[in-house]
Amino acid sequence: MTETLKRMSPGCRPEVFYSKHRPMLSGWKNHPELRNGLHYEGVGYLEYSGGSAAQSPALQLIDAGLGIEHHGEEGDFLRNMRNYMLPNHKQLIEDLSSWPSIRKYCGEKGGSILDKYNETLEVLKKLRSQHLILVARYIQVPANAGKTRKSGGNGSSEGGNAKTPEHLDQEGTGGTPLSTFLKTIRQHVENARI
C-alpha cells in the first residue's frame, strides 16, 4: 500500500488535485457554507462527509486485526466512517475487533512472534507517514501557495483555482483537521507496540 501511495505523484500534479479534484471530494457535513447540509427537494436537508481514506474497509480492517485502538475524536470519526461502507464490510471490522486479540497473543508468546508483530506495526506506521507526506504535497503546499498568491506573492497559478474553499486548506474532505488527525492515528499505531 505504501508503494502504491508513492506512485500517485507522477500521475497527478498537486495543484491540479488541490484545485480541481479535491473540492469535488468534499462533503456537506460540517461544511461552513452549508450549515444544515445540502437540501434535497422533497426530502429535506442531509449531511454527508466527503470522501475519506477512513471509509476504506482495508485500513480499518488492518487496524482492527492488529488490535490498534483508536479513541477520542479520532476513534469516533473512524467508527462514523463505517456508516459509508458496505454493511458486510462494516460488520467484519466490528466482528474482528471483538474476536481474540492478535496483539494480546503476540504479547503473551513474546520472542520472534512479538518481534514480527512490532515489525508489522512499523510497516503500518510507514504507510501512515506516507499519507502525511501526500497531505503535505497535495493539500498543504498548494493551500499555502494559494495564500501567497492572494497576498500578492509570486506563487505559480498553474492549475490553480482562486475559488477553492478555504475550509479545505487544513481540513480533510471527511471533515477532520488534517495533520492533527493523521498524526494522532499514526501515534495510535506506535502506542500499540509491545
Side-chain angles (χ1 to χ4, degrees):
M1 287 178 143
T2 304
E3 292 305 313
T4 301
L5 282 178
K6 289 178 181 178
R7 291 196 318 243
M8 183 172 168
S9 296
C12 182
R13 291 194 332 260
E15 57 279 350
V16 172
F17 173 82
Y18 179 78
S19 64
K20 305 289 185 197
H21 300 289
R22 192 159 189 274
M24 292 186 290
L25 295 172
S26 69
W28 43 93
K29 183 175 185 174
N30 302 321
H31 191 292
E33 295 173 19
L34 301 169
R35 300 216 187 277
N36 297 316
L38 188 64
H39 186 265
Y40 287 83
E41 192 172 318
V43 177
Y45 286 95
L46 296 175
E47 293 182 294
Y48 291 106
S49 294
S52 170
Q55 295 166 354
S56 165
L59 294 171
Q60 291 210 37
L61 194 61
I62 290 168
D63 287 350
L66 293 172
I68 298 167
E69 295 183 15
H70 297 292
H71 44 82
E73 291 178 20
E74 294 79 14
D76 292 343
F77 178 79
L78 291 171
R79 283 184 289 282
N80 182 53
M81 290 297 102
R82 293 176 190 168
N83 294 324
Y84 294 88
M85 297 176 187
L86 294 172
N88 58 338
H89 292 178
K90 176 182 178 179
Q91 190 62 54
L92 179 60
I93 294 164
E94 291 172 0
D95 287 347
L96 188 56
S97 296
S98 67
W99 293 344
S101 170
I102 291 173
R103 181 177 185 273
K104 182 179 177 185
Y105 175 81
C106 293
E108 289 171 355
K109 284 292 185 184
S112 64
I113 196 162
L114 177 57
D115 293 341
K116 292 295 182 187
Y117 175 82
N118 285 328
E119 287 173 25
T120 302
L121 290 180
E122 191 59 35
V123 170
L124 182 56
K125 189 175 162 190
K126 287 178 183 176
L127 172 66
R128 302 293 191 186
S129 294
Q130 185 61 39
H131 193 174
L132 277 161
I133 290 167
L134 285 177
V135 164
R137 183 178 298 140
Y138 282 86
I139 299 168
Q140 293 169 326
V141 169
N144 290 336
K147 289 176 187 174
T148 301
R149 281 192 300 280
K150 288 177 187 175
S151 67
N154 283 335
S156 168
S157 62
E158 183 180 347
N161 178 354
K163 294 186 179 183
T164 301
E166 288 185 21
H167 76 280
L168 291 178
D169 286 355
Q170 299 299 320
E171 184 178 285
T173 50
T176 60
L178 273 173
S179 290
T180 306
F181 176 79
L182 295 174
K183 286 176 183 174
T184 302
I185 294 300
R186 183 179 61 184
Q187 187 59 49
H188 290 169
V189 173
E190 177 66 29
N191 293 349
R193 290 180 64 88
I194 303 172

